């Protein structure tokens, strides 16, 4: 038995499956959970791989630590999406963080992740019971939250599904403008931006939209287990922050597996033809 996620042009990413643990329909998406042969549990939303238990850090580390280490003092952090808890777990490893807010639209993703996934059950439980001292969980639409929260953040992380359905507007110019306004005088915004090779147009569109809004925009790609790698990430900067430089002292406090702060300069990998497309205009 296997599970395959089909990408455009018939490219598939698959896992051999031991058993199917559940399938249900939430208000927003179809949720499936599998036990794989070699990577622990697999979470699938609307047919797309979200993460596997063994290897999920290959996504959560590059999504969180480069921006958290490039910001001089990240105290207030916002995560949009990320209902499995992995992104928030990585954010809270930073001692500078006073409060991290997780805005996830689908409470069923949080509940299923808490009950079945070993990402960080304790954290999700504490969030659900409002017992996490430095974290809060808001079940709601990140688009609305960004428009209405009135809060100011040092770092904003969008760990959403791909730009379809409820996540579509998270990649719009209007959302980026609201995010820019929600950052303090200087801040960093990062979003996952899809498969470099198979979602190239989505990457280019998001990059173009972000360049209209942020003071500077960086891109990088990273090999992620379970995704059609390499996977792209876009970083928007507000104010005087140089994303190419990180705090190596604070990096020493982190136990990392995939992202290498000492080689931060090598992060900015992008296949030549994609770099040329990104830099064309
Ligand atoms: N690591 C995954 C990836 O890169 O595809 C994402 C993980 S997380 C499970 C994605 C989450 O984004 C889902 O739980 C989904 O419900 C949430 N989401 C999608 N659109 C959203 C929105 N507008 N506001 C808040 N959460 C949203």
């Amino acid at each position: 038995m296997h599970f395959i996620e089909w990408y455009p042009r018939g490219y598939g990413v698959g896992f051999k499956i031991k058993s199917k643990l559940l399938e249900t329909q939430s208000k927003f998406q179809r949720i499936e959970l599998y036990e794989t042969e070699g990577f622990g549990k697999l979470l699938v939303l609307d047919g797309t791989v979200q993460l596997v238990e063994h290897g999920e850090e290959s996504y959560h580390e590059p999504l969180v630590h480069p921006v958290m280490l490039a910001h001089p003092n990240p105290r207030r952090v916002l995560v949009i999406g990320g209902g499995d808890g992995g992104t928030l777990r990585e954010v809270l490893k930073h001692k500078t963080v006073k409060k991290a807010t997780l805005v996830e639209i689908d409470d069923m993703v949080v509940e299923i992740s808490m009950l079945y996934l070993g990402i960080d059950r304790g954290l999700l439980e504490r969030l659900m019971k409002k017992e996490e001292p430095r974290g809060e969980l808001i079940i709601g639409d990140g688009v609305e939250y960004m428009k209405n929260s009135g809060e100011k953040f040092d770092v904003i992380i969008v760990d959403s599904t791909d730009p379809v359905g409820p996540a579509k507007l998270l990649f719009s110019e209007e959302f980026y403008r609201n995010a820019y306004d929600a950052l303090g005088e200087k801040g960093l915004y990062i979003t996952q931006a899809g498969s470099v090779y198979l979602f190239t147009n989505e990457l280019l569109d998001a990059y173009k939209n972000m360049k209209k809004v942020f003071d500077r925009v960086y891109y990088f790609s990273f090999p992620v287990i379970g995704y059609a790698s390499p996977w792209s990430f876009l970083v928007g900067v507000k104010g005087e922050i140089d994303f190419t430089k990180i705090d190596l002292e604070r990096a020493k406090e982190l136990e990392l597996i995939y992202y290498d702060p000492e080689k931060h300069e090598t992060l900015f990998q992008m296949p030549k033809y994609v770099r040329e497309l990104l830099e064309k205009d």
Side-chain angles (χ1 to χ4, degrees):
M1 193 177 155
H2 52 258
F3 169 86
I4 297 181
E5 176 182 351
W6 290 108
Y7 283 78
R9 296 163 56 196
Y11 188 104
V13 171
F15 289 91
K16 278 196 176 166
I17 298 296
K18 272 193 214 162
S19 60
K20 183 171 196 171
L21 300 172
L22 73 85
E23 176 168 0
T24 184
Q25 181 67 37
S26 77
K27 282 181 284 187
F28 299 96
Q29 51 215 333
R30 189 159 49 85
I31 307 174
E32 296 166 83
L33 197 67
Y34 296 90
E35 187 67 55
T36 68
E37 288 211 358
F39 289 83
K41 291 189 185 60
L42 161 66
L43 174 66
V44 175
L45 298 180
D46 277 349
T48 66
V49 171
Q50 299 302 302
L51 58 84
V52 281
E53 277 180 323
H54 307 161
E56 44 88 2
E57 300 88 346
S58 63
Y59 167 79
H60 292 120
E61 288 183 7
L63 180 70
V64 171
H65 300 301
V67 287
M68 290 296 288
L69 291 170
H71 192 288
N73 188 19
R75 287 158 304 177
R76 190 78 180 82
V77 179
L78 171 63
V79 177
I80 305 281
D84 53 81
T87 297
L88 194 70
R89 175 199 67 203
E90 294 301 314
V91 165
L92 292 175
K93 287 180 179 173
H94 293 261
K95 295 195 181 77
T96 57
V97 173
K98 298 284 175 275
K99 185 175 173 189
T101 300
L102 177 68
V103 181
E104 163 59 59
I105 201 166
D106 193 340
D107 57 348
M108 279 187 87
V109 172
V110 181
E111 275 155 33
I112 288 170
S113 300
M114 184 178 69
L115 290 170
Y116 294 97
L117 280 181
I119 305 295
D120 193 330
R121 276 197 191 88
L123 171 60
L124 291 176
E125 225 164 80
R126 291 192 301 279
L127 286 169
M128 300 275 274
K129 292 180 184 160
K130 300 193 187 316
E131 292 170 357
E132 172 52 48
R134 293 188 299 151
E136 71 171 337
L137 167 64
I138 295 171
I139 298 297
D141 183 346
V143 177
E144 292 309 310
Y145 180 84
M146 195 70 88
K147 220 184 296 186
N148 307 319
S149 88
E151 296 253 6
K152 285 291 180 196
F153 299 96
D154 299 311
V155 173
I156 296 173
I157 300 172
V158 176
D159 173 20
S160 73
T161 38
D162 299 326
V164 289
K168 192 167 175 53
L169 292 179
L170 298 174
F171 295 81
S172 66
E173 183 182 337
E174 183 198 355
F175 180 77
Y176 293 142
R177 289 200 185 286
N178 291 331
Y180 185 87
D181 293 344
L183 288 170
E185 256 173 51
K186 56 181 169 200
L188 289 170
Y189 174 99
I190 186 167
T191 182
Q192 69 90 4
S195 166
V196 167
Y197 294 135
L198 299 155
F199 292 164
T200 313
N201 290 335
E202 287 84 346
L203 167 60
L204 294 173
D205 290 347
Y207 183 64
K208 270 194 205 108
N209 279 336
M210 286 179 67
K211 282 209 304 185
K212 292 176 195 163
V213 174
F214 290 94
D215 301 339
R216 280 174 311 293
V217 183
Y218 295 84
Y219 51 78
F220 68 86
S221 63
F222 206 89
V224 175
I225 294 173
Y227 296 176
S229 273
W231 206 257
S232 66
F233 298 83
L234 292 172
V235 175
V237 181
K238 179 175 181 179
E240 286 317 304
I241 296 182
D242 177 352
F243 180 58
T244 64
K245 296 209 176 19
I246 56 163
D247 183 335
L248 282 170
E249 277 315 300
R250 278 196 285 132
K252 286 182 190 142
E253 297 164 11
L254 303 168
E255 284 181 27
L256 300 171
I257 309 167
Y258 297 95
Y259 166 57
D260 186 351
E262 286 171 37
K263 297 283 178 226
H264 179 70
E265 72 282 359
T266 65
L267 186 70
F268 302 88
Q269 301 293 330
M270 196 56 88
K272 180 171 176 293
Y273 83 95
V274 180
R275 176 178 61 74
E276 287 168 351
L277 283 170
L278 286 161
E279 294 176 0
K280 201 161 63 163
D281 45 351

